[in-house]
Amino acid sequence: MKAKVNNKKLDELISATIGREKPTFDFSRWKQVHKKEIEIFESQIANREVSCSATSTDIWRTVLRGKVGRIAVAACIIIAVLIVLRPSSNSLDGTTAAYAKVGEAVKSVPWMRISYTSKILDLNGNIRTENDQWDTDIWFSFDSQILIQKFSFGQITYKDYSKQEVYNYNPESKRIVLSALSENKFPIEANSPWNWLQRNIQGMMPFGGNVTRKAGQYDGKEVEVFEIVSAPKSGWADARGKIFVDKATSLPIAEEKTYINPKIGKPQRVEKGTFEYPARGPVDIYEVGLSRDIPTVNSLPLPPWEEVNRIYESCSRTAPERYIAIVTRELRTTGAPIESVEICYADGAHSREERHFLFQPGPVGVQWRQQAAEIGDTFDSILKWAQACKARGEISISIYRERCFFYNSHRQEDGTWKTTKREFKDIKLTARDFWNLCPIARIAWPQIRGYADVIQNDFARENNLIHIESQGRQFYLNPDRDYICQMQVNGGTTEVKEFAQTKEGKWYPKRIEGPDIANTVYLETNPVFPEGIFDSNNLPKKDGQRK
Amino acid sequence: MPERSEIHLIEAATGGDIESFGELCRLYYAAMVAIAYCILSDHQLAEDAAQESFARALINLKNLKNKSRFAPWLAAICRNVAKDMVVTKTRHISTVNLSQVAWKNNNDENTDAIRRAIEQLPDAARELVVLRYYNNLSYEYIASILGTSPAAINGRLARAKRKMADYLKRNGFPEGKL
């Protein structure tokens, strides 16, 4: 017999049980946290509009939209100015007299300041969002070996190559961090841009172009105008440029650049820059436009976050090729021994991911202890248990092979498995991708997003760890253990209690404990894989059985 | 079907307008949080999952074939993100333990029984109930998220509530309270 339902009463009961106020979404905050995704998206759009293959890093030709790219474009602009004066030959020997004259003039200046305004335009020639227009200020001092970069989104870096120090202003934490600069060479080398210019030339004009020179005026000054037209290349934006060189000093004073979408013949990106040659530049980071009240934290002798992050990400990506990884998850709040088990098999070309949830909905009781006894606590016992598909809750198994993706969805009530196959034509997964899918990588090297500062504290110093602060979260990285995040504080504390090492020497966390969850990791490299483990035809068809 | 203004936002977002994408995020945030909550049973994690699903959606926007299916597409991403978090994120308590959490956190008998009644529903029905009652979302709005009609939502919700009532009755929930 069906129960009578008083909709109003039941509605009230359900609302009282799970109801909540509508959450509000802060898009500005979200953008701060997801800069990387926004940059990927923006580059996808930019590339789509020019049908760009986007495989080259050529600064002059590629339409760069990322912030790092913007720095590179701005920093290299003077180089580009000079390079495009070169005829289409790839030899530097063919430099024109005008080119040599400008090069000589730039070489002799004590400071150079480059101020850029860049705009990204939509198909109608409009700026789409406020993020599509930005300013960049760069100062070079060839004599004192200083490079300063100030971005309109707030970040400032002040690099002193003679002292091997960098001051970095983080607009989010509103503090300056002093770190060690481990880049050995000033990007412009020695006391002249000339060497750096030569080094960059080879990769900057792969397709050639035409340069014409004529007399003109700019801002009331007699100038030589160098007009640049890049050689067309399928899939690349057409670049048009004008360089205004002061006749009196032979120094470039302004530049205009336009990248044109060759498909529609309309500008897609426009840049205007002015060049100044002051006798002196900012003596410290505060002079770049910061209040003297902003605190500076001394993090010496540690490098800045961008450098630590490079190593961190590199350690995270360094993957064993052949392995079986097991990660068990305990719910500490319930006192349950194990709540779920994740297993990854990978042989470099294939990967198999299994997720076994031990429990079905229902009263919690003796089944927890029974399953704990069944599963055991060794690599072999867990693997054997998983292969027999003994979990009472959901099991899902995915096999990644070449470009196909096989997926077994929820185990059905009658014990059968629903198998689906999806094919990703454009994606080819590699050993590194498989490692990223493995929970060990995510547990050991959690993603640290957005702005971050290396701020040592007593705990970090005493334990030889590197302390990172990012968006209210604290991460302690262990440089002696492949930069594994040994402790993470985000409300509660999650800590690696035990480390282990593979036969090949790669460190991984063996035991991780958080406020609610604890993980135990079992990792065997170069194992003998069970027969047919990567064969999609060998996936389970019926509960507890394999075909 | 999305309204005309939503279609414009989707068009603009796929054309590269990040602010339009932000408008869409605001529009669907509550629904995505509810969908994620249905899987994660943790309000904070559900908000994290919803925000992460926006990030994934943004970089996969180029793959969106049918713009009128933006919301269901986003919901599918959100489910996947939440499922990933079930395994990967700490602090999570999976749906199978929802009653356990309720027991620890709230000893109210009604609450516990209702939670159990929601848990025993099939996935789709459970998601529907959470979407409806988590933030008191309208049938029309839920229909746009799930890519179906308000009438279908009404029918499915009635069936889900009937199942809940049956379950509650079987498990000794006082009939007078139903």
Side-chain angles (χ1 to χ4, degrees):
Chain A
M1 181 183 146
K2 296 283 178 191
K4 285 181 183 174
V5 184
N6 178 327
N7 266 316
K8 195 177 171 195
K9 276 189 182 175
L10 190 53
D11 285 352
E12 284 171 1
L13 283 167
I14 302 171
S15 290
T17 303
I18 61 169
R20 250 178 104 79
E21 276 186 19
K22 232 179 205 179
T24 52
F25 180 63
D26 182 346
F27 188 54
S28 302
R29 173 79 180 155
W30 183 89
K31 282 195 289 188
Q32 286 293 317
V33 176
H34 294 93
K35 290 192 174 95
K36 197 179 279 180
E37 284 83 1
I38 292 170
E39 290 199 3
I40 291 169
F41 172 67
E42 287 177 341
S43 66
Q44 285 171 352
I45 295 294
N47 291 345
R48 189 176 69 196
E49 284 169 5
V50 293
S51 295
C52 182
S53 63
T55 52
S56 167
T57 55
D58 177 4
I59 291 165
W60 173 243
R61 300 297 303 273
T62 311
V63 177
L64 289 173
R65 298 200 60 190
K67 278 162 187 160
V68 174
R70 292 168 196 173
I71 303 164
V73 167
C76 293
I77 189 59
I78 186 65
I79 307 309
V81 165
L82 300 175
I83 287 164
V84 293
L85 302 182
R86 179 173 58 85
S88 57
S89 124
N90 276 331
S91 162
L92 285 179
D93 298 335
T95 51
T96 63
Y99 167 60
K101 199 173 167 186
V102 175
E104 262 323 290
V106 171
K107 197 162 86 170
S108 63
V109 298
W111 280 87
M112 179 166 68
R113 180 181 180 180
I114 309 168
S115 304
Y116 259 87
T117 297
S118 305
K119 294 174 188 172
I120 301 287
L121 306 175
D122 65 15
L123 299 181
N124 298 318
N126 302 315
I127 296 169
R128 284 185 288 230
T129 70
E130 60 181 28
N131 291 330
D132 284 341
Q133 178 167 338
W134 67 93
D135 299 322
T136 317
D137 251 358
I138 296 177
W139 287 262
F140 287 115
S141 168
F142 309 116
D143 294 336
S144 47
Q145 306 244 317
I146 287 170
L147 169 62
I148 306 163
Q149 294 153 309
K150 181 183 181 184
F151 309 103
S152 52
F153 51 90
Q155 191 184 358
I156 301 176
T157 60
Y158 189 106
K159 294 181 175 177
D160 187 332
Y161 285 84
S162 64
K163 293 182 184 168
Q164 293 289 288
E165 290 175 354
V166 55
Y167 293 82
N168 189 23
Y169 173 66
N170 177 341
E172 203 168 84
S173 63
K174 301 203 184 312
R175 68 184 161 208
I176 299 163
V177 178
L178 169 61
S179 315
L181 194 58
S182 61
E183 298 165 43
N184 292 324
K185 292 176 180 174
F186 189 51
I188 308 183
E189 280 193 4
N191 54 6
S192 156
W194 188 249
N195 292 336
W196 190 50
L197 189 155
Q198 285 183 311
R199 196 177 60 214
N200 281 283
I201 284 173
Q202 303 303 327
M204 294 182 74
M205 285 287 283
F207 313 120
N210 293 317
V211 180
T212 54
R213 189 158 54 115
K214 62 182 182 188
Q217 283 222 330
Y218 184 88
D219 207 15
K221 289 181 179 173
E222 294 290 318
V223 294
E224 278 190 303
V225 185
F226 293 84
E227 290 191 353
I228 303 118
V229 178
S230 67
K233 175 78 176 175
S234 173
W236 294 78
D238 290 335
R240 303 279 183 271
K242 280 185 182 176
I243 317 297
F244 304 92
V245 176
D246 188 335
K247 270 192 172 175
T249 61
S250 291
L251 290 170
I253 55 171
E255 194 242 7
E256 295 170 2
K257 272 202 307 195
T258 307
Y259 294 94
I260 297 163
N261 183 334
K263 277 194 168 179
I264 57 171
K266 290 184 177 175
Q268 171 183 322
R269 173 170 171 155
V270 176
E271 292 178 345
K272 287 187 179 179
T274 56
F275 301 83
E276 294 171 53
Y277 305 92
R280 64 179 292 277
V283 296
D284 58 27
I285 191 166
Y286 294 104
E287 272 200 16
V288 188
L290 293 178
S291 160
R292 298 256 166 209
D293 296 333
I294 293 172
T296 296
V297 180
N298 188 336
S299 231
L300 292 171
L302 288 173
W305 164 240
E306 61 180 12
E307 201 156 314
V308 173
N309 192 33
R310 262 200 296 273
I311 304 169
Y312 182 67
E313 289 194 343
S314 161
C315 288
S316 149
R317 288 195 299 262
T318 308
E321 277 229 337
R322 295 168 53 83
Y323 57 88
I324 301 174
I326 300 174
V327 178
T328 65
R329 214 167 71 100
E330 301 160 27
L331 283 177
R332 303 180 83 194
T333 47
T334 61
I338 298 176
E339 182 259 1
S340 64
V341 175
E342 194 166 357
I343 304 177
C344 292
Y345 302 81
D347 71 350
H350 311 84
S351 174
R352 176 185 175 113
E353 260 194 301
E354 297 184 3
R355 295 174 179 181
H356 301 256
F357 291 88
L358 272 66
F359 305 108
Q360 288 181 323
V364 173
V366 68
Q367 56 163 319
W368 292 70
R369 287 188 295 280
Q370 284 174 351
Q371 291 239 341
E374 284 174 14
I375 196 167
D377 60 0
T378 66
F379 179 87
D380 290 336
S381 72
I382 299 171
L383 209 57
K384 196 174 166 189
W385 170 86
Q387 283 170 358
C389 293
K390 284 188 173 176
R392 294 175 192 177
E394 178 189 332
I395 301 177
S396 70
I397 302 177
S398 308
I399 293 178
Y400 299 86
R401 197 178 62 183
E402 295 170 344
R403 294 183 183 187
C404 288
F405 166 59
F406 302 89
Y407 178 64
N408 271 336
S409 65
H410 300 177
R411 185 167 53 184
Q412 310 296 297
E413 282 181 5
D414 63 359
T416 57
W417 295 68
K418 185 183 170 191
T419 305
T420 52
K421 174 186 170 183
R422 290 177 64 192
E423 188 172 353
F424 298 96
K425 287 181 181 169
D426 301 329
I427 297 173
K428 188 171 183 184
L429 296 167
T430 64
R432 183 181 289 180
D433 297 316
F434 297 147
W435 179 245
N436 285 337
L437 291 169
C438 177
I440 296 177
R442 298 193 295 259
I443 291 170
W445 295 277
Q447 204 167 26
I448 304 175
R449 283 184 157 150
Y451 290 110
D453 292 330
V454 178
I455 304 286
Q456 283 304 71
N457 57 19
D458 289 343
F459 179 81
R461 272 187 283 270
E462 284 162 14
N463 293 280
N464 197 26
L465 303 173
I466 300 174
H467 176 220
I468 311 296
E469 275 188 21
S470 175
Q471 304 185 348
R473 299 181 181 194
Q474 299 182 59
F475 303 84
Y476 292 86
L477 315 185
N478 189 332
D480 297 328
R481 298 281 188 275
D482 287 340
Y483 282 76
I484 285 171
C485 180
Q486 185 166 322
M487 192 162 86
Q488 195 181 146
V489 184
N490 178 25
T493 301
T494 302
E495 190 174 3
V496 178
K497 293 288 187 185
E498 192 185 334
F499 287 92
Q501 216 172 1
T502 65
K503 296 183 283 271
E504 295 76 25
K506 183 166 182 67
W507 287 99
Y508 63 93
K510 176 73 186 164
R511 174 80 182 163
I512 308 100
E513 292 181 3
D516 302 324
I517 305 287
N519 295 106
T520 304
V521 175
Y522 305 82
L523 177 62
E524 189 134 322
T525 49
N526 293 310
V528 176
F529 291 108
E531 198 181 335
I533 199 75
F534 299 115
D535 185 352
S536 58
N537 294 318
N538 203 26
L539 287 167
K541 301 291 179 192
K542 198 172 177 185
D543 200 4
Q545 292 180 12
R546 288 168 197 280
K547 185 185 170 188
Chain B
M1 280 289 290
E3 288 179 9
R4 194 170 169 76
S5 59
E6 287 171 50
I7 286 287
H8 284 155
L9 287 174
I10 296 162
E11 289 282 356
T14 52
D17 184 357
I18 192 78
E19 294 305 317
S20 294
F21 182 76
E23 280 302 310
L24 290 167
C25 293
R26 283 189 199 98
L27 196 58
Y28 294 121
Y29 187 54
M32 294 308 122
V33 172
I35 285 169
Y37 176 75
C38 188
I39 294 164
L40 292 160
S41 307
D42 180 301
H43 302 298
Q44 187 56 50
L45 278 182
E47 291 211 33
D48 287 352
Q51 296 191 20
E52 179 61 27
S53 62
F54 293 153
R56 283 200 201 172
L58 183 67
I59 56 178
N60 286 294
L61 207 52
K62 62 182 189 301
N63 300 325
L64 175 64
K65 298 282 186 291
N66 184 349
K67 292 185 176 66
S68 67
R69 300 278 301 170
F70 175 79
W73 175 76
L74 185 61
I77 291 173
C78 187
R79 284 185 204 104
N80 286 336
V81 169
K83 282 177 185 169
D84 284 350
M85 285 172 81
V86 166
V87 177
T88 60
K89 295 282 182 186
T90 56
R91 288 184 57 226
H92 153 68
I93 296 167
S94 74
T95 50
V96 296
N97 310 109
L98 196 138
S99 58
Q100 183 78 1
V101 178
W103 183 254
K104 288 182 81 70
N105 296 339
N106 189 340
N107 286 327
D108 180 77
E109 279 181 21
N110 288 355
T111 303
D112 190 38
I114 296 291
R115 279 185 184 276
R116 284 176 185 276
I118 297 171
E119 281 169 29
Q120 56 83 40
L121 291 171
D123 288 353
R126 191 170 64 230
E127 183 178 275
L128 185 57
V129 169
V130 174
L131 271 170
R132 175 73 181 108
Y133 294 99
Y134 188 66
N135 291 138
N136 196 26
L137 302 179
S138 70
Y139 285 18
E140 289 73 18
Y141 181 85
I142 296 171
S144 75
I145 300 295
L146 300 181
T148 184
S149 68
I153 295 296
N154 186 32
R156 283 165 55 186
L157 201 56
R159 283 194 291 278
K161 280 156 64 177
R162 172 77 60 191
K163 276 188 180 175
M164 285 180 67
D166 286 344
Y167 174 90
L168 289 166
K169 193 185 171 194
R170 277 202 315 274
N171 286 275
F173 194 84
E175 277 199 60
K177 289 187 179 178
L178 279 176

